[in-house]
Amino acid sequence: MDRPLPGSAHEALEGFLGHWSGTTQWEATAWGPARTAAAEVVFARAAAGLAVTMSYRHLDADGSKAEGVGVFTMDRAHPDTLWYHVNSMGLPPEAPARASWHDGTLTIERRSDRGAARHTLRVEGGRLTHAAGLRLGSALEFSPFMTTVCRRVPETAAVPA
């Protein structure tokens, strides 16, 4: 099959596809100080459009890196997008998180015994914005953790050999 199926992850995430470059602002937390990092994000079709991968890398000024990969797919039994995710923090992958759409924003909530994280992803005006908040321990509200803002990297024409 060479085209995505109706209702596929590709169809839902069409506006995210491509290579993005920008910056990530990390908030000060118990794990480290506030800082800014260069960010690269790539969304690509996978499995005949039934999935979309999201690869990302953050590069701090001191040369340290954080990276991860996510796979989005659709739950045909519910109007949800599922997000499988693993990153370089060294924690084992968790069960997929359910995501929902509201006014063009994809919101994902992940829960574990450590707490909860809420991610929002949106493409608007040529910008990809990915924000995340954390709710740890007995906190009632999510605290901002990171915000990534990127612009799409133009595709370069192939150079003939």
Side-chain angles (χ1 to χ4, degrees):
M1 175 177 279
D2 62 355
R3 61 180 170 39
L5 299 171
S8 67
H10 165 266
E11 184 179 271
L13 295 162
E14 178 74 32
F16 290 89
L17 295 175
H19 185 170
W20 302 82
S21 181
T23 58
T24 296
Q25 177 63 48
W26 298 95
E27 302 300 327
T29 68
W31 303 294
R35 66 192 190 283
T36 301
E40 285 199 56
V41 183
V42 177
F43 286 88
R45 292 177 189 91
L50 292 175
V52 169
T53 60
M54 172 192 176
S55 300
Y56 63 88
R57 178 177 297 171
H58 299 111
L59 180 61
D60 287 349
D62 68 1
S64 59
K65 290 186 269 190
E67 56 189 18
V69 65
V71 177
F72 293 94
T73 189
M74 303 302 290
D75 181 345
R76 292 185 186 267
H78 304 281
D80 293 338
T81 300
L82 299 176
W83 186 38
Y84 297 83
H85 178 258
V86 64
N87 62 34
S88 60
M89 290 177 58
L91 299 172
E94 298 172 355
R98 290 201 175 268
S100 59
W101 290 92
H102 183 71
D103 293 334
T105 298
L106 182 63
T107 300
I108 307 157
E109 287 198 17
R110 298 181 335 172
R111 291 176 182 83
S112 74
D113 57 351
R114 296 179 308 278
R118 177 183 291 153
H119 297 260
T120 58
L121 292 106
R122 181 176 186 86
V123 173
E124 185 173 43
R127 290 187 338 171
L128 166 67
T129 303
H130 175 186
L134 297 175
R135 189 177 65 213
L136 303 174
S138 60
L140 299 176
E141 300 292 324
F142 284 90
S143 297
F145 175 64
M146 59 135 273
T147 303
T148 299
V149 178
C150 294
R151 294 250 176 227
R152 191 180 302 273
V153 175
E155 291 184 35
T156 57
V159 178

